[in-house]
Amino acid sequence: MLDAFLAGAHQVFAFDTLIYMLIGSVAGIVAAAIPGFTVTMAIILTLPLTFTMDPLQGVSVMLSVYVGGYTGGLISAALLGIPGTPSSVATTFDAFPMARGGEPGRALSLGVWASFFGTVISTIILIVAAPPLALIAVKLGPWEYFSLIVFALTIVASLVGNSLMRGLIAGVIGLGLATIGPDPMMGRPRLTFESDILMPGLPFLIVLIGIFAISQLMGEVEDHGKNDNKGALIPDVIEFKTWAVMREVLMHPVNLVRSSLIGVFIGALPGAGGSIANLLAYDQAKRSSKTPEKFGKGNPDGVIASEAGNSATAGGGLIPMIALGIPGSAVDAILMAALMVHGISVGPRLIMDHADLAYGMFVAMIVASLMMLVVCVLSMRLFLRVTDIPKQFIVPTVMICCVIGAFALNNRVSDLYLLGAIGLVGYGLKSLDYPLAPLVLGVILGPIAETNLRRALMSDGDWTVFFTRPISAVLLAAALLSVIFSVRSVLKMRRKDRPATDEQDGD
């Protein structure tokens, strides 16, 4: 094992490999910072460039893009309130209010350090516990996956603020949007009204960009018109110290470790991904907090949880890929394709037959996280220059990036019509004070829940199987407790607000 580790490290620390990895890290950060350009797209563009490289060198470069991409979405999420990638949705909840409050440097630094520690923790777990975790993940059938999604959907109750009904309505709208287009199992069109635009369905990224980016930009234009503010999008940039922020992150060890473990577990489940881990980690941080009412207002725990959770899925996703040959996400599938191009089969024999490659990947993950950290810290001041750009320049620029990202997804002009329509819907809901996060969560999880429910019923039409399989039963019980706890928290927050309102009326 030691010989394989040293052999892998020797290849990773070759000068040309480190240079390529550095370029890959920068590319991943920049690509993910642009709304609509996902980590998967960046990896796909990188894949052809690695065909002439050695297997470990090529995979190391792709891992650098992978790790950098999970952090890059933080930049636009914190500074613009627009998640650069689907795995940065929950990051906007507290990072953007913190930046709006005059601390953009702190918001970015918290996210960067949380991403770094999340990646490192997930890599350590990958090295130590890959076989047992992979065995647990592969035993999950459609019953367990459906129960897991039901549990994840209960997050809606914690993202609704003080209005439970509005949050639930937004979640139902998201689930409804997810049903438009081809049936996920049979491919038959549903709710398309014979429209060519709706026939392919509503791509998740189009919904994400429209709901968050377009509605946010429309809000910025409206505020600009009302206030005639020619200043920056974010009012003040205060001095911040990166190392002080690192200590602040480490002062929340329970939140950091818990969120990283959630990311590892979700990453190890094939098809789950960083978007679910991001929201689930944030949800658990809010539930565990003694002051949940401070979440959504610039709470550092919210930033740490969301970024540690999504970044930890990078290591978690490699667990089933390396141990079982099952990709944990689309990115892991591309990594598998890169290895297969070089004639290397991925699965249980990988560590036995190509131990230097497997352990070299572990080393590359650590090196990639360090490179991501260095690039982000050194570029922090450059990122913060975004806060000095007047609205009249930044709004149309971001709008153009959103349109390009939406079009590049499928090269369909019809997607741009959908983008505009969904943006108007998001703006309308936001104006009426409806939370947007439950809607996006419904769009993400709806198709996964439907697919696994139908698979489970096709395998066995007995509904009681969901309650007789141990893991499924535990997840459903956790979902019920989650709903009860969330409703109780909302009612408790309302009772706290009521005395303050009565006191104001008395005055």
Side-chain angles (χ1 to χ4, degrees):
M1 184 182 298
L2 181 60
D3 291 340
F5 179 83
L6 293 176
H10 177 73
Q11 295 181 57
V12 171
F13 284 105
F15 180 75
D16 55 343
T17 302
L18 292 176
I19 294 296
Y20 290 139
M21 289 181 68
L22 180 61
I23 296 172
S25 182
V26 173
I29 293 170
V30 172
I34 302 173
F37 285 81
T38 65
V39 181
T40 304
M41 294 168 66
I43 289 285
I44 289 172
L45 293 174
T46 307
L47 178 60
L49 304 177
T50 64
F51 289 162
T52 59
M53 300 179 181
D54 294 332
L56 181 55
Q57 186 180 63
V59 172
S60 298
V61 173
M62 297 173 74
L63 288 174
S64 297
V65 178
Y66 191 12
V67 173
Y70 269 120
T71 306
L74 159 74
I75 298 170
S76 56
L79 300 183
L80 304 175
I82 302 169
T85 63
S87 59
S88 301
V89 170
T91 305
T92 61
F93 300 162
D94 281 287
F96 186 54
M98 185 181 292
R100 277 284 191 180
E103 298 181 289
R106 182 183 175 216
L108 284 177
S109 294
L110 281 171
V112 168
W113 280 108
S115 294
F116 169 72
F117 288 122
T119 306
V120 171
I121 291 172
S122 71
T123 305
I124 293 172
I125 295 174
L126 168 67
I127 297 171
V128 174
L133 281 176
L135 288 174
I136 293 174
V138 79
K139 287 181 179 179
L140 298 184
W143 302 270
E144 287 78 16
Y145 271 106
F146 175 75
S147 300
L148 175 66
I149 299 305
V150 170
F151 174 59
L153 280 169
T154 62
I155 296 173
V156 168
S158 69
L159 301 177
V160 298
N162 291 326
S163 179
L164 183 61
M165 184 57 65
R166 288 181 179 178
L168 293 176
I169 290 173
V172 170
I173 292 173
L175 291 172
L177 291 176
T179 62
I180 296 175
D183 179 303
M185 298 290 288
M186 309 299 293
R188 296 172 181 170
R190 302 182 302 186
L191 302 176
T192 59
F193 306 102
E194 298 183 357
S195 170
D196 293 336
I197 295 177
L198 295 177
M199 199 64 70
L202 300 182
F204 166 64
L205 276 174
I206 301 298
V207 176
L208 178 69
I209 297 171
I211 288 294
F212 279 106
I214 304 301
S215 63
Q216 175 69 31
L217 294 174
M218 292 175 71
E220 294 293 344
V221 172
E222 182 184 29
D223 293 342
H224 182 72
K226 288 181 180 178
N227 303 328
D228 195 27
N229 178 22
K230 296 182 180 179
L233 187 64
I234 300 171
D236 299 308
V237 181
I238 64 170
E239 288 296 320
F240 69 98
K241 295 182 179 179
T242 301
W243 299 110
V245 176
M246 179 197 72
R247 289 193 294 272
E248 182 180 2
V249 173
L250 293 176
M251 287 174 64
H252 299 79
V254 175
N255 185 20
L256 180 64
V257 173
R258 179 184 60 239
S259 302
S260 299
L261 292 176
I262 289 172
V264 171
F265 178 72
I266 296 297
L269 300 177
S275 54
I276 297 176
N278 179 250
L279 289 160
L280 191 58
Y282 181 88
D283 170 68
Q284 294 304 310
K286 185 176 179 180
R287 292 173 190 271
S288 305
S289 175
K290 295 180 180 178
T291 54
E293 67 277 1
K294 292 184 179 180
F295 278 73
K297 301 176 182 178
N299 193 324
D301 271 324
V303 182
I304 294 170
S306 56
E307 282 301 303
N310 71 27
S311 294
T313 57
L318 292 176
I319 293 173
M321 189 195 86
I322 291 177
L324 302 166
I326 300 173
S329 65
V331 175
D332 296 318
I334 299 169
L335 290 173
M336 283 182 61
L339 291 173
M340 291 167 69
V341 167
H342 292 281
I344 297 174
S345 60
V346 180
R349 299 288 306 177
L350 177 64
I351 295 180
M352 299 175 63
D353 298 338
H354 304 280
D356 57 335
L357 176 61
Y359 285 97
M361 291 172 66
F362 301 155
V363 175
M365 283 287 291
I366 299 293
V367 174
S369 61
L370 286 170
M371 285 186 173
M372 175 276 296
L373 178 66
V374 171
V375 170
C376 287
V377 169
L378 294 180
S379 306
M380 194 74 69
R381 302 286 177 181
L382 179 62
F383 295 149
L384 291 175
R385 299 302 297 178
V386 172
T387 63
D388 295 329
I389 303 174
K391 284 184 183 179
Q392 58 264 35
F393 297 122
I394 198 168
V395 169
T397 301
V398 175
M399 182 72 79
I400 290 170
C401 290
C402 291
V403 171
I404 293 173
F407 180 75
L409 182 64
N410 296 304
N411 294 325
R412 288 198 302 252
V413 176
S414 60
D415 284 350
L416 302 184
Y417 299 136
L418 291 174
L419 180 68
I422 294 170
L424 289 173
V425 171
Y427 176 70
L429 290 173
K430 190 175 180 181
S431 300
L432 295 172
D433 201 26
Y434 279 79
L436 300 180
L439 189 153
V440 173
L441 190 66
V443 175
I444 294 174
L445 299 179
I448 304 174
E450 179 187 1
T451 301
N452 284 287
L453 175 62
R454 293 175 64 177
R455 284 176 179 170
L457 295 178
M458 288 169 66
S459 300
D460 190 335
D462 185 3
W463 283 85
T464 61
V465 177
F466 288 98
F467 304 97
T468 56
R469 291 175 69 98
I471 297 177
S472 177
V474 169
L475 289 170
L476 290 175
L480 179 62
L481 292 174
S482 176
V483 171
I484 294 172
F485 182 83
S486 296
V487 173
R488 181 170 169 270
S489 297
V490 170
L491 295 176
K492 188 176 180 182
M493 289 172 65
R494 285 182 180 175
R495 284 197 294 268
K496 281 184 178 179
D497 293 339
R498 194 172 298 162
T501 305
D502 294 342
E503 196 174 308
Q504 288 177 0
D505 293 340
D507 294 339

